[in-house]
Amino acid sequence: MKKLLLSSVLLLTACGPTPPHHPAQQRQITVTGVGSAVSVPDQFNFTVVIEERGETASDLNRIVNEKTNQVIEQLKKLDVKEKNIQSLQVQFNPWVEYNGQTQEQKGFILSRRIDITLDKLSLYDKAIDSVLKLKITRIEGFSYSNSKAYEHYQSAIAQALQDAQQRAEHMAEVLDLELGSAITVSEQSQGQAMQAKNTMRLRSMAESSSLPGEMNTTAQVSVVFELID
């Protein structure tokens, strides 16, 4: 009877679930690489805002369209390309004023934003003066940019990848390990160009002598490398 019971226990043990097998975990190293590309701005950007208030939407739309066309015509006289003039942003809101605790709707407010890019930096003061004569509401969003921003960012990405490779090689050397191939690569930046030297004067009534300085486009990547013993 005891032999029969022992045989049954051994049989159940042999038929039981096999313990999970854990393969050797792959050894990895994660590094962050950074890169940058310095460029000189060759474009000037600003936004013209046209805002009108009135009782009827149709009248407001007519007035805003007339002023928009006037702005576009003035800029075209300065050889500003039509593709560099964008006027798609329109807002229509109630015109409400408060008299103490009383709220009174007097009509509507219609506003349009016109984004403008100048390919010639020397034209910025003439362009601003020409649209100001049209009695627009305000001008805002002054900034410099570079027409080859995408190419500069790609250059910064390449530098960031090289930087990640060099960092990983150095760390592996210190740890007396051999660096394998890259397993994953992720981009951690969006290619925003920042002005390195803010030497811009937005308005110069005497002459167009302000200098835009330099722009620094940065890139950052995260790379996971395999480590080999």
Side-chain angles (χ1 to χ4, degrees):
M1 184 65 180
K2 290 183 178 180
K3 290 183 179 181
L4 180 59
L5 179 60
L6 180 59
S7 298
S8 300
V9 172
L10 291 175
L11 181 61
L12 289 173
T13 303
C15 296
T18 304
H21 173 68
H22 297 285
Q25 187 174 5
Q26 187 179 31
R27 303 178 68 180
Q28 302 174 350
I29 182 173
T30 303
V31 295
T32 298
V34 294
S36 64
V38 178
S39 61
V40 177
D42 59 0
Q43 294 179 324
F44 183 74
N45 313 287
F46 64 97
T47 299
V48 170
V49 180
I50 300 173
E51 184 177 283
E52 295 293 332
R53 303 183 180 211
E55 296 181 358
T56 60
S58 58
D59 288 341
L60 291 176
N61 187 60
R62 176 182 54 79
I63 296 173
V64 169
N65 283 339
E66 288 177 355
K67 287 195 174 183
T68 299
N69 292 332
Q70 290 174 2
V71 169
I72 294 174
E73 289 302 317
Q74 286 293 330
L75 293 172
K76 288 172 66 176
K77 290 179 181 179
L78 296 175
D79 293 329
V80 178
K81 301 176 182 178
E82 287 191 18
K83 68 175 184 177
N84 291 346
I85 307 173
Q86 299 183 6
S87 59
L88 300 178
Q89 300 184 40
V90 178
Q91 288 187 344
F92 186 75
N93 298 304
W95 175 16
V96 178
E97 292 189 358
Y98 292 88
N99 185 10
Q101 300 295 324
T102 304
Q103 175 179 312
E104 179 184 1
Q105 180 172 340
K106 305 190 69 174
F108 303 95
I109 302 174
L110 181 63
S111 62
R112 170 172 285 172
R113 296 173 58 87
I114 307 174
D115 297 326
I116 301 160
T117 298
L118 303 178
D119 290 329
K120 296 180 181 179
L121 298 181
S122 59
L123 289 179
Y124 88 92
D125 53 349
K126 295 180 181 179
I128 292 174
D129 287 338
S130 65
V131 296
L132 283 176
K133 293 178 181 178
L134 301 175
K135 297 181 180 180
I136 52 120
T137 307
R138 63 183 181 274
I139 300 179
E140 60 188 24
F142 300 99
S143 66
Y144 283 115
S145 61
N146 192 288
S147 59
K148 296 183 178 180
Y150 178 79
E151 289 84 348
H152 295 311
Y153 181 61
Q154 294 306 309
S155 176
I157 282 286
Q159 291 185 27
L161 292 171
Q162 293 173 0
D163 182 55
Q165 177 81 28
Q166 293 172 0
R167 289 172 186 249
E169 290 175 349
H170 174 70
M171 295 172 69
E173 181 181 357
V174 171
L175 297 173
D176 196 23
L177 296 170
E178 182 180 348
L179 189 68
S181 58
I183 300 174
T184 62
V185 180
S186 60
E187 184 180 10
Q188 297 183 325
S189 55
Q190 297 180 348
Q192 296 295 327
M194 302 299 294
Q195 198 146 335
K197 298 179 181 178
N198 188 15
T199 59
M200 179 178 67
R201 292 163 57 199
L202 296 181
R203 296 299 307 274
S204 175
M205 300 306 293
E207 57 181 354
S208 297
S209 59
S210 64
L211 300 176
E214 295 179 338
M215 302 186 76
N216 189 27
T217 303
T218 61
Q220 182 171 309
V221 297
S222 177
V223 185
V224 178
F225 290 92
E226 178 187 9
L227 282 177
I228 305 174
D229 291 337

